[in-house]
Amino acid sequence: MGLSRLAALHGVATSYSPSPDATVSVPDDTVIAVLAALGVDAGTPEAVRRSLVATESRSRLLPPTVVVWAGEPLPPALTGLPPGSTVRVEPERVAGGGRAPGSGPAAGAGVVGPAPDAHGEAAAPVAAAAAGGAQTSGTGTAAPAQAAGSETGTGTTGTTRATVPRDPAAPAGWTQPPYGIHRLHVRTPDHHEATATLVVAPARVPQPPERTHGFLVQLYSLLSARSWGMGDLGDLADLAAWAGRTLGSGFVQVNPLHAAFPGRPTDPSPYRPSSRRFPDPVHLHVESIPEYGQLHDRAILDDLRQDAAALSEAVLNKGALIDRDAVWELKRQALELIAEVPLTPGRRAAYCDFLAEQGQALEDHALWCALAEEHGPDWHAWPEPLRDPRSPATARARSRLLDRVDLHCRLAWLTATQLADAQRAAEDAGMAIGIVHDLAVGVHPAGADTWAQRDLFAHGMSVGAPPDAFNARGQDWGLPPWRPDALAATGYAAFRGLLRGLLAHAGALRIDHVMGLFRLWWVPEGRPPTDGTYVTYDAEAMLAVLVLEAHRAGAVVVGEDLGTVEPGVREALARRGVLGTSVLWFECDWDGDGRPLAPEKWRQDCLATATTHDLPSTAARLTGDHVTLRHRLGLLTRTLEEELTEDVTSTAEWLALLARLRMLPEGDGDEPAAVRAVHRFLAATPARMIGVWLPDTVGDRRPQNLPGTWDQYPNWRLPIADPEGRPVTLEEITASPRLHALMEVLRPQRSRTAPPGERPV
């Protein structure tokens, strides 16, 4: 009983329900191990008693983080303070003495402007409460009006300032601050004091300005005639510019472009990076770097470019897999040469601005990269003093490796500028959203983030998934989780910085396994995934930070909410404007007859698609190729005949529905026509965004990733290919009759005869 109570106080589950009619108890050893990872001793009954006393005696006047939503009642943390308490709010300060980006005006500044409506969007202007505006902070008598929110970020929503009626339950001195991160100070009549991080957020994230379609693509797989052996940011910009102008597409969604964990070979998965905070320079298009054209001695660069062309030739025409390590070796040599070219004054100023904006986080990342070159990528195996990023030995190494640290800082800057170029190309082409970046659920246990933020991670734990109908053994993803207590104690600073970096050059952000904002399945090291348990996070705080940063960037947010989803999670995400993900083959009437869900019954607030990077392509699904592939690799848990029978039955149900809806006029047996019919169906749903898997446009039958495999299948290393498996370039894709026939079904009828100057939607 004591262990269960202690676990509950720290958000550690002692049981879980894989289905509404089943409850599974978590082994005590798992609970004890998870509590230990949270710094709580529960190894013996006496330790449990001591920890319970210590935990329950730490009563707090305020939680570590308090959330205030615009237009909604104040939280109990504020309304439940002892009578007579006073509060004071101060904006968060950053290096150099300024306020954090988007923190709004200084205390006492006027607050006038458009008030948020029920969805957090700007409505009609309202009059100022008084000349000079309402008071925005202080400990005296509250002003007759309060700020509903103010934003000074760079997003498309612009400045949102308002005056709204004061909450009658607010404590003395409370005047709602502008949108942003603040420090909340409370003093009770008996002189108790407390402080907390205060997050003031809009009610919802920005929404797509129009219903739109776009492509989903793994960037490395998209080779053009100029690529260096894998797709790059130049190819992304070209794809976006072409799709926006030619097809009226509204977005291009890519895989995570996070910095990879180096090695020999490098882990090819974009979902297990070294750092989520900074992008990987392997994605750079070398020739687009301005200093590339200023090199006088081009002989070495020309040789490297020829070697890169040979890599592309091997992938496109000789059946070779994408070799990330070989690509990076060539680009590394080229980038080191380019870095020797002095920056022009304007470029130098821009670089310095970038360094100042990124601060300690970038310096830590660059230093880790430099140390990894000397000592190997696993920081656990480094000399003991270097395992601490703040040790004197690490400081000395920073000075000694200054040139390499600067190189890695510059590479991060160059990559950020090309990310910005890609988003600008998308916007210039008329895309309603632009580039949709992807946030992986975690990082490599030995990478840069776990070194620089070691106190934030639960070492000895791994994120995964419990057993379910699709995987009876559960899953262990090999990703150490963030500690919820450490995140809260630091005001979610790491999460805020991560989001701000990703959203800087994005029109939208996809969050992999978005349920992780609420809870994650922790698996103790050395135990099977079945012996894990759920650990909860402060979803209110995580969502508030997400909504705030998306608002600042003017960006849409899409959550990948597939698989086991805790009751209430989808509703909470929808309330905050976070779109879900709906994949055709999973959209069935699970509460009824289990048959395919009619298009009008799909949810509106989602990205609808036929497949994802972890699922078979549409052609493979329709033909059953995905079943025979898994059989060939020994991944089936039943006989091939049983699996094929079930697959054929499911596919036939969908094709029958498409035929009844007259979406398959060509009849059964025409694979390209069936793929078009699937997308006609998606277009008939009310989904706000429709995603087209780019390999589907040319009939590729191979999945980019086959879950459950490691070396049995070339995950994350395949170029986009035609139905026969022949790789195709970006140039061939854009000229493909099959692609244009498919994309035609997503064009509204009126757009086909649109007058000059009107862009199809």
Side-chain angles (χ1 to χ4, degrees):
M1 192 66 179
L3 181 62
S4 296
R5 170 68 178 158
L6 183 63
L9 289 172
H10 291 278
V12 180
T14 54
S15 66
Y16 68 97
S17 298
S19 61
D21 58 346
T23 299
V24 178
S25 295
V26 176
D28 285 353
D29 287 350
T30 294
V31 176
I32 292 169
V34 170
L35 285 170
L38 292 169
V40 180
D41 185 4
T44 65
E46 179 58 31
V48 170
R49 285 191 289 271
R50 286 196 306 268
S51 295
L52 265 175
V53 170
T55 300
E56 293 177 332
S57 66
R58 290 196 299 267
S59 61
R60 294 180 58 96
L61 184 59
L62 290 173
T65 301
V66 176
V67 172
V68 171
W69 297 100
E72 298 182 13
L74 294 179
L78 289 172
T79 59
L81 290 170
S85 298
T86 58
V87 300
R88 178 171 56 87
V89 176
E90 60 179 342
E92 182 185 45
R93 298 285 167 173
V94 295
R99 285 177 297 279
S103 61
V111 185
V112 186
D117 62 17
H119 300 296
E121 304 297 337
V126 297
Q135 181 178 334
T136 59
S137 73
T139 56
T141 304
Q146 64 184 29
S150 174
E151 180 54 40
T152 58
T154 58
T156 59
T157 53
T159 299
T160 305
R161 297 164 127 188
T163 57
V164 299
R166 171 180 166 78
D167 189 327
W174 173 260
T175 299
Q176 186 163 311
Y179 295 158
I181 306 296
H182 309 279
R183 199 67 184 158
L184 176 66
H185 302 266
V186 170
R187 182 181 177 87
T188 66
D190 56 358
H191 305 297
H192 284 91
E193 297 185 359
T195 61
T197 299
L198 175 66
V199 183
V200 182
R204 288 163 60 86
V205 300
Q207 298 297 290
E210 59 188 41
R211 188 169 190 257
T212 188
H213 63 75
F215 290 118
L216 319 177
V217 62
Q218 299 283 293
L219 181 56
Y220 59 82
S221 71
L222 181 67
L223 281 74
S224 69
R226 67 180 189 181
S227 299
W228 285 43
M230 61 182 280
D232 58 39
L233 291 171
D235 298 322
L236 176 60
D238 273 357
L239 175 65
W242 169 80
R245 288 187 167 87
T246 305
L247 304 174
S249 299
F251 65 91
V252 175
Q253 177 183 302
V254 294
N255 56 285
L257 304 183
H258 309 318
F261 183 77
R264 295 190 179 277
T266 297
D267 187 338
S269 173
Y271 291 92
R272 199 166 182 249
S274 173
S275 173
R276 297 187 294 174
R277 179 66 180 80
F278 296 100
D280 198 308
V282 76
H283 302 297
L284 281 168
H285 179 242
V286 175
E287 292 92 328
S288 293
I289 300 171
E291 289 73 35
Y292 175 89
Q294 298 172 22
L295 274 171
H296 297 297
D297 185 0
R298 301 291 295 275
I300 298 178
L301 273 179
D302 290 343
D303 288 344
L304 292 172
R305 186 65 188 89
Q306 289 182 6
D307 291 343
L311 285 179
S312 291
E313 168 71 13
V315 172
L316 294 171
N317 297 315
K318 299 180 180 178
L321 298 174
I322 292 171
D323 188 341
R324 182 193 181 99
D325 292 330
V327 173
W328 174 238
E329 178 58 27
L330 295 178
K331 287 193 176 182
R332 180 191 61 77
Q333 295 180 54
L335 293 168
E336 288 179 349
L337 288 172
I338 292 170
E340 295 176 2
V341 177
L343 296 173
T344 64
R347 295 268 292 166
R348 169 62 62 181
Y351 178 42
C352 290
D353 282 350
F354 179 79
L355 294 175
E357 290 167 2
Q358 303 303 319
Q360 187 70 55
L362 176 58
E363 186 176 336
D364 286 344
H365 175 73
L367 178 57
W368 182 90
C369 292
L371 288 170
E373 291 173 340
E374 279 198 343
H375 302 288
D378 186 350
W379 62 266
H380 300 92
W382 293 356
E384 181 73 30
L386 297 180
R387 299 175 196 174
D388 180 358
R390 305 291 170 250
S391 73
T394 302
R396 290 192 294 272
R398 180 181 289 107
S399 298
R400 178 173 56 82
L401 297 171
L402 191 58
D403 287 345
R404 298 302 297 179
V405 171
D406 181 67
L407 172 66
H408 291 292
C409 285
R410 187 182 293 200
L411 296 183
W413 170 60
L414 292 173
T415 312
T417 60
Q418 290 196 6
L419 288 169
D421 291 343
Q423 176 62 11
R424 191 176 304 111
E427 292 172 347
D428 290 347
M431 283 193 163
I433 295 173
I435 308 302
V436 183
H437 287 287
D438 199 350
L439 172 60
V441 70
V443 295
H444 196 286
D449 281 2
T450 59
W451 177 75
Q453 305 169 358
R454 56 191 300 179
D455 294 338
L456 288 180
F457 287 90
H459 300 281
M461 294 288 143
S462 177
V463 174
D468 56 28
F470 301 100
N471 194 324
R473 299 184 182 91
Q475 299 177 55
D476 182 344
W477 301 332
L479 309 169
W482 266 339
R483 288 179 52 164
D485 57 332
L487 281 175
T490 56
Y492 296 86
F495 187 46
R496 285 149 43 198
L498 171 59
L499 292 173
R500 193 167 298 165
L502 286 168
L503 290 166
H505 310 299
L509 179 66
R510 174 192 181 269
I511 301 180
D512 192 43
H513 194 70
V514 72
M515 297 83 77
L517 299 179
F518 297 78
R519 65 178 186 177
L520 282 172
W521 183 257
W522 287 23
V523 181
E525 191 175 83
R527 299 176 189 268
T530 50
D531 285 355
T533 190
Y534 281 113
V535 176
T536 60
Y537 291 75
D538 186 345
E540 189 84 347
M542 299 281 276
L543 279 173
V545 170
L546 173 62
V547 172
L548 175 63
E549 294 300 336
H551 170 81
R552 285 170 165 164
V556 175
V557 179
V558 178
E560 186 267 297
D561 56 351
L562 304 174
T564 302
V565 184
E566 185 181 11
V569 166
R570 287 195 175 104
E571 293 77 7
L573 293 169
R575 183 183 182 191
R576 300 303 168 199
V578 177
L579 305 183
T581 301
S582 293
V583 178
L584 181 130
W585 310 101
F586 302 154
E587 290 297 311
C588 297
D589 184 8
W590 300 116
D591 295 327
D593 59 12
R595 293 184 180 278
L597 203 61
E600 67 272 12
K601 294 184 178 180
W602 282 42
R603 54 181 169 170
Q604 178 181 5
D605 296 329
C606 74
L607 164 66
T609 182
T611 190
T612 73
H613 58 268
D614 283 333
L615 296 173
S617 70
T618 304
R621 174 79 68 170
L622 290 168
T623 58
D625 281 7
H626 67 112
V627 177
T628 55
L629 172 62
R630 291 170 57 227
H631 171 68
R632 190 164 66 248
L633 297 176
L635 300 177
L636 299 183
T637 57
R638 298 181 296 176
T639 66
L640 175 61
E641 290 73 19
E642 290 174 314
E643 293 278 353
L644 282 174
T645 298
E646 180 178 289
D647 185 71
V648 168
T649 300
S650 173
T651 302
E653 285 185 341
W654 278 102
L655 290 174
L657 175 59
L658 295 173
R660 287 198 304 273
L661 295 174
R662 299 182 180 179
M663 294 180 177
L664 189 54
E666 299 87 350
D668 197 4
D670 185 332
E671 177 199 305
V675 174
R676 291 195 296 273
V678 163
H679 289 83
R680 283 194 188 97
F681 183 96
L682 294 178
T685 72
R688 302 288 296 273
M689 298 170 64
I690 300 171
V692 180
W693 180 236
L694 190 60
D696 274 350
T697 66
V698 290
D700 197 343
R701 294 171 181 255
R702 307 172 304 174
Q704 282 294 315
N705 177 50
L706 190 59
T709 63
W710 175 245
D711 56 359
Q712 307 99 312
Y713 186 81
N715 295 320
W716 318 115
R717 289 174 288 171
L718 292 172
I720 297 174
D722 65 14
E724 287 71 45
R726 182 187 69 84
V728 290
T729 63
L730 171 59
E731 292 81 2
E732 292 173 310
I733 292 171
T734 58
S736 166
R738 178 166 176 159
L739 177 145
H740 286 275
L742 172 58
M743 298 308 294
E744 186 67 18
V745 308
L746 298 179
R747 291 176 179 264
Q749 290 294 326
R750 69 177 183 86
S751 72
R752 296 173 191 168
T753 56
E758 180 178 338
R759 186 175 63 83
V761 296

